[in-house]
Amino acid sequence: MAKQRAIPQGYMTVGEVARKTGVTVRTLQYYDKEGLLSPSSESEGGRRLYTDKDLITLHQIISLKSLGFSLHHIKERLISLETPADVANALTEQADDIRREIGRLTDSLTAIEQLKEEVLQMQTVNFKKYADIIFNLQMKNNSYCLIKRFDDEMLDHIHHQFDKESSLNFIDRFNLLSDQILQLQKENVPPESQKCQQVIEKYWGLIMEFTNGDLGILHKLMEIGNIDTAANAWEEKQKKINDYLGPALELYFSKNGLNPFGETEP
C-alpha cells in the first residue's frame, strides 16, 4: 500500500502545488475541470500529479488572470511549452500584456492626479462634473478643464447633444480648427482674408452645432470661453485663439449680416 502511495520523483500532488503557488486546491481542481490545467500524471493510488512544467503553465494562468483576462480568454491564450521557443513566446506575450496593463494603469493614475487638481480648484463637491472630467480624461480630451466652468444646465445640454462617438468627432474637429486658427495668427494672415474667413465660417458652424441654436447656451459658452488669466496650457492656447478669433468673427458677422444674439439681418 505504501508503495502505491509513493509519489514519483519530479511530481507533486495537488496539495504540494497549492502550497508552493498559493493557489487553493479547490482552484486547481476547477482549472482541471475547465481544461485550463490538467495534471500531467496520476499515481498508482489515483492521486493526480503535477510537474514543474505544469507550474509554468499555472504561472501563465495566474498572470493573465491578474491582468483581467477571463478564464475563457486565458484558455485561448495559453501557449504550448514543448521547446525553448515556446517558453520564450509565452514569456514575450506575458511581457507585452504587462506593458499594456502598465500603460493603462499609468493613464488611470494620471487621470486621478489630474482630477484631484481639478477638484481642489473647483472648491466644491459636484459628482456630475467629476464623472464628466473622468470621461474626458479617458478620451484624452485636453479641454476637459472646461468642464469645471460648466453648470448643470450646460452639462445636461452636452449629454443630450452628444454621445461618446459624436463627442470625440466634435472634439477632433474643434481641435483641428483651433490649430488652424493659431497657424493663421502665427503667419499674420489678415482676419479679413478669404483664407481666414473660410476657417472662421467652419469654426462658427461648430459653435452653432454645439449650441443647437440655443441662445442661452451660446451666451454661457461665450462667458466660459472668455479667459482673462490662463490657469493651464489649454486656457493659454484658447486665450491666444481668442485674440485672433474675436476680430475675425466680427468681420464674419458683418460680412454675412449676422447678429448672433438676435435675428439675422437682411
Side-chain angles (χ1 to χ4, degrees):
M1 181 70 68
K3 189 175 181 179
Q4 288 181 340
R5 293 176 182 172
I7 305 302
Q9 187 174 359
Y11 289 89
M12 294 165 279
T13 64
V14 65
E16 290 174 317
V17 172
R19 286 193 296 273
K20 279 190 174 185
T21 62
V23 176
T24 66
V25 170
R26 185 175 180 179
T27 297
L28 291 170
Q29 291 171 339
Y30 180 71
Y31 289 167
D32 182 12
K33 179 182 176 183
E34 294 298 314
L36 267 78
L37 177 63
S38 296
S40 293
S41 186
E42 187 176 306
S43 71
E44 293 180 2
R47 302 177 73 179
R48 302 171 74 74
L49 304 177
Y50 295 83
T51 64
D52 288 332
K53 177 183 172 183
D54 296 327
L55 291 186
I56 300 301
T57 301
L58 179 58
H59 176 69
Q60 285 188 73
I61 295 170
I62 294 170
S63 296
L64 291 170
K65 192 170 183 293
S66 71
L67 294 173
F69 288 96
S70 68
L71 293 183
H72 172 73
H73 287 123
I74 290 173
K75 190 174 182 179
E76 292 179 341
R77 293 174 67 88
L78 288 178
I79 297 174
S80 171
L81 302 175
E82 300 299 330
T83 67
D86 290 338
V87 177
N89 288 337
L91 294 174
T92 297
E93 282 209 8
Q94 282 183 246
D96 290 341
D97 289 333
I98 290 170
R99 288 190 189 95
R100 283 189 287 270
E101 182 67 6
I102 288 172
R104 186 188 67 79
L105 291 173
T106 299
D107 288 343
S108 296
L109 177 61
T110 300
I112 288 170
E113 293 291 348
Q114 290 175 323
L115 176 60
K116 182 181 74 174
E117 293 299 319
E118 296 300 331
V119 168
L120 292 174
Q121 289 182 31
M122 286 164 60
Q123 293 294 309
T124 184
V125 176
N126 187 321
F127 289 102
K128 179 181 285 190
K129 287 188 180 181
Y130 297 167
D132 281 318
I133 289 172
I134 290 172
F135 175 72
N136 281 273
L137 285 171
Q138 289 172 339
M139 293 194 302
K140 301 188 184 302
N141 174 18
N142 292 329
S143 59
Y144 72 89
C145 55
L146 262 177
I147 294 170
K148 65 184 177 183
R149 297 168 172 259
F150 293 164
D151 59 17
D152 287 346
E153 181 184 1
M154 180 68 86
L155 291 175
D156 288 339
H157 170 81
I158 293 171
H159 293 155
H160 182 266
Q161 188 76 357
F162 300 99
D163 57 20
K164 182 176 181 179
E165 183 177 353
S166 61
S167 64
L168 283 171
N169 178 267
F170 183 90
I171 290 166
D172 287 342
R173 288 182 289 144
F174 180 83
N175 288 335
L176 177 62
L177 285 174
S178 296
D179 290 340
Q180 289 178 2
I181 292 170
L182 281 176
Q183 188 60 34
L184 291 174
Q185 184 184 40
K186 184 178 179 180
E187 295 173 358
N188 293 317
V189 176
E192 65 272 13
S193 69
Q194 182 180 5
K195 184 177 182 181
C196 172
Q197 288 297 303
Q198 286 176 341
V199 174
I200 295 302
E201 181 178 14
K202 293 178 182 178
Y203 190 92
W204 184 247
L206 277 185
I207 299 299
M208 291 294 95
E209 179 182 337
F210 181 89
T211 62
N212 198 27
D214 189 324
L215 288 181
I217 296 297
L218 179 58
H219 276 287
K220 287 186 178 183
L221 192 61
M222 293 195 69
E223 290 174 5
I224 291 167
N226 185 21
I227 301 170
D228 294 325
T229 304
N232 52 59
W234 184 88
E235 290 181 356
E236 184 66 37
K237 176 181 177 180
Q238 194 60 40
K239 194 172 185 300
K240 289 180 181 178
I241 291 172
N242 289 348
D243 292 340
Y244 184 81
L245 186 64
L249 274 173
E250 287 184 12
L251 287 169
Y252 175 77
F253 296 150
S254 176
K255 179 181 176 181
N256 292 279
L258 296 175
N259 178 4
F261 298 100
E263 297 296 328
T264 302
E265 298 176 358

